[in-house]
Amino acid sequence: MTDIAERPLADPSDRVLTVLDPRTGEVATELPVADEPAVADALASARAAQAGWARTPAAERGAALRAAAAAVRAAADELAELNTRETGKTPDDARGGIEAGAGTLEQYAELGPVHRGRSLQGGWGATDLMVPMPRGVVAVLTPWNDPVAVAAGLLGAALVTGNTVVHKPSERCPATGRRFAEILADHLPDGVLRIVDGDGTIGARLARSDEVDVVAHVGSTAAGRAIAESCARTGARALLENGGNDPMIVDAGADPAWAAEQAALGSFANAGQICVSVERIYVHRDVAEPFLAELTARAGEWADRIGPLVDRRQRDHVHDHVRGALAEGAELRAGGALPDGPGAYYPPTVLTGCTPSMAVLREETFGPVAPVRVVPDFDTALREAADDRYGLAAVVLTADMGHAQRAWRELPVGTVKINAAFGGAPGGAAQPRRASGQGFGYGPELLDEMTTTTVVHIAPPGP
């Protein structure tokens, strides 16, 4: 996932974030970048408010989130319109993200008050407990590809457990992120949730601050690694969900038409700009030709269903991967050409003849591209799918339950989906691995990430 850019830590004073509507190229948002005094003030006020917020009963913190969720739903049209204008997400997808964010706030409103530690069996006359406690001030740095839903999880879990938050939305959708956080902050005491606008320089400033106890970041691997280095120096906890290069395996015996539907959904939904989009496809040679024919047809059908990429910088990145693959011998089955006209549109693209040396298989493309590699057997597919520096998710389409069992045990990723490009039960939480990050980013386990444990031993007074 691409997000906070690696930029020198220059003074952001007097700089402005300018976001162009990726549908038209017209200016969508202009917001000033927070200067150093504004960032320092946000951190100081969050620190000052933390003790009082921690003393607030958990049920009251949950009630505040529940009220905020209702306000987010009431503002769904406004938020969705902002999101579409800044990122090009289709209106239906944008509204779906708003609804998901409101639901996530409600989930943490329920989970927070029942988050508990445990008692220990010590001496008869003593009481021994392990009690979860808030970590303190959490810096939350969120992405552009699903700005409300992702922010709702990190903000909700941090706040309901008694932490205060300084939130920096992505510079690619700052108005969407700011408005969502403002709605949430309206239901909280002063200082509990502060918002700062800016690009990578501001994210880096927060990550290296001694006032921050947790840095929760969803974005690029390069930015995540820089954050981890800062946290290693300050002692803050780094909670990271970063890039992914998620494989899909299409096994022998899979219905080609159904497999192509799943591959198209995984590769093209939201123009391929989903954290767990399908980034590379390994198809068994026995079904390769009918699968490719069906996938090529699906690409044409998806052309009118997706919006643009977030901006032309992202489109250039995607097109560079496609051009590089073609230069190295890949075959273009669909798409692959820059369209005329304004905006950052890119067509659903299907490539075959891809090899492991190509960037389109090695790196995260994060666009509507389905690169296909034909393999002789399931063992090869599994081995090549696992041979990657990322570890976010994977999809396996197979009727062979033995192969399914091997896949989820052997693929070194946090999430394995069998026979579905997307899906999962509510409350699920997975740990990204290797270059994809560290820590739980969702579910009840995210409450554990946002808290630390105090061991308590209470003995009767002497003598």
Side-chain angles (χ1 to χ4, degrees):
M1 177 192 319
T2 56
D3 192 15
I4 301 171
E6 300 74 38
R7 299 182 178 90
L9 303 183
D11 180 3
S13 301
D14 301 323
R15 292 196 291 119
V16 173
L17 294 175
T18 299
V19 178
L20 303 182
D21 187 326
R23 301 167 299 176
T24 65
E26 299 173 351
V27 173
T29 299
E30 288 185 324
L31 282 174
V33 174
D35 59 16
E36 175 60 30
V39 176
D41 177 68
L43 288 166
S45 62
R47 177 62 66 189
Q50 199 276 316
W53 183 240
R55 288 194 295 268
T56 301
E60 291 183 21
R61 298 195 298 256
L65 287 193
R66 197 174 296 107
V72 168
R73 284 202 167 91
D77 290 341
E78 175 193 3
L79 288 166
E81 196 277 331
L82 282 172
N83 194 0
T84 295
R85 192 167 73 224
E86 289 190 316
T87 70
K89 187 185 283 284
T90 65
D92 285 348
D93 281 353
R95 192 173 183 98
I98 310 307
E99 291 293 334
T104 297
L105 291 178
E106 290 169 339
Q107 179 187 71
Y108 285 117
E110 298 296 325
L111 291 174
V114 298
H115 185 233
R116 59 175 64 90
R118 60 191 177 96
S119 61
L120 304 174
Q121 297 301 317
W124 183 260
T127 299
D128 291 273
L129 305 170
M130 295 177 67
V131 184
M133 302 290 287
R135 289 183 178 272
V137 176
V138 181
V140 173
L141 313 176
T142 52
W144 51 265
N145 61 315
D146 205 354
V148 173
V150 173
L154 295 174
L155 295 175
L159 292 166
V160 81
T161 48
N163 301 282
T164 54
V165 174
V166 177
H167 176 39
K168 190 202 83 67
S170 170
E171 63 268 31
R172 282 167 153 168
C173 59
T176 307
R178 167 168 277 279
R179 183 67 189 118
F180 168 68
E182 286 173 345
I183 293 170
L184 182 48
D186 284 344
H187 297 271
L188 302 168
D190 289 345
V192 169
L193 172 57
R194 292 292 304 270
I195 310 144
V196 293
D197 301 305
D199 55 15
T201 61
I202 303 303
R205 167 69 177 85
L206 293 172
R208 68 172 186 262
S209 172
D210 289 329
E211 291 294 330
V212 170
D213 300 290
V214 180
V215 182
H217 169 252
V218 178
S220 73
T221 291
R225 286 181 168 172
I227 288 166
E229 290 175 4
S230 293
C231 290
R233 288 191 290 270
T234 65
R237 184 174 186 81
L239 179 60
L240 309 172
E241 183 187 310
N242 297 150
N245 190 26
D246 296 0
M248 170 181 277
I249 295 174
V250 181
D251 200 5
D255 177 78
W258 165 76
E261 289 177 359
Q262 293 296 312
L265 176 64
S267 301
F268 305 143
N270 196 36
Q273 299 170 123
I274 300 173
C275 298
V276 290
S277 290
V278 170
E279 292 278 338
R280 51 199 171 106
I281 300 170
Y282 300 90
V283 58
H284 195 288
R285 63 186 174 193
D286 289 354
V287 295
E289 280 309 313
F291 169 80
L292 280 164
E294 293 281 356
L295 181 57
T296 301
R298 298 292 183 279
E301 296 168 1
W302 273 86
D304 296 326
R305 297 171 59 183
I306 62 173
L309 294 169
V310 67
D311 55 29
R312 289 209 169 189
R313 175 162 61 98
Q314 181 64 17
R315 187 173 76 167
D316 289 344
H317 166 77
V318 171
H319 193 51
D320 284 347
H321 274 199
V322 172
R323 288 191 303 176
L326 294 175
E328 293 180 49
E331 177 189 344
L332 186 66
R333 291 288 189 104
L338 291 175
D340 296 328
Y345 290 91
Y346 199 80
T349 297
V350 178
L351 298 168
T352 189
C354 296
T355 63
S357 64
M358 296 176 181
V360 77
L361 286 190
R362 290 197 326 271
E363 299 295 335
E364 183 180 42
T365 302
F366 219 60
V369 179
V372 179
R373 177 162 170 78
V374 179
V375 293
D377 50 48
F378 183 79
D379 286 348
T380 302
L382 196 60
R383 183 177 66 253
E384 294 195 10
D387 184 16
D388 189 70
R389 70 189 185 100
Y390 296 97
L392 194 58
V395 180
V396 179
L397 307 181
T398 182
D400 186 326
M401 289 300 99
H403 285 175
Q405 186 80 359
R406 282 188 58 198
W408 73 259
R409 289 192 179 276
E410 296 180 26
L411 287 169
V413 300
T415 300
V416 180
K417 293 162 285 184
I418 306 296
N419 294 328
F422 298 118
Q431 292 176 307
R433 304 181 192 176
R434 299 186 291 182
S436 290
Q438 61 189 41
F440 287 103
Y442 304 93
E445 287 79 6
L446 182 52
L447 300 176
D448 297 331
E449 300 284 358
M450 295 294 182
T451 53
T452 188
T453 299
T454 298
V455 176
V456 182
H457 175 72
I458 303 173

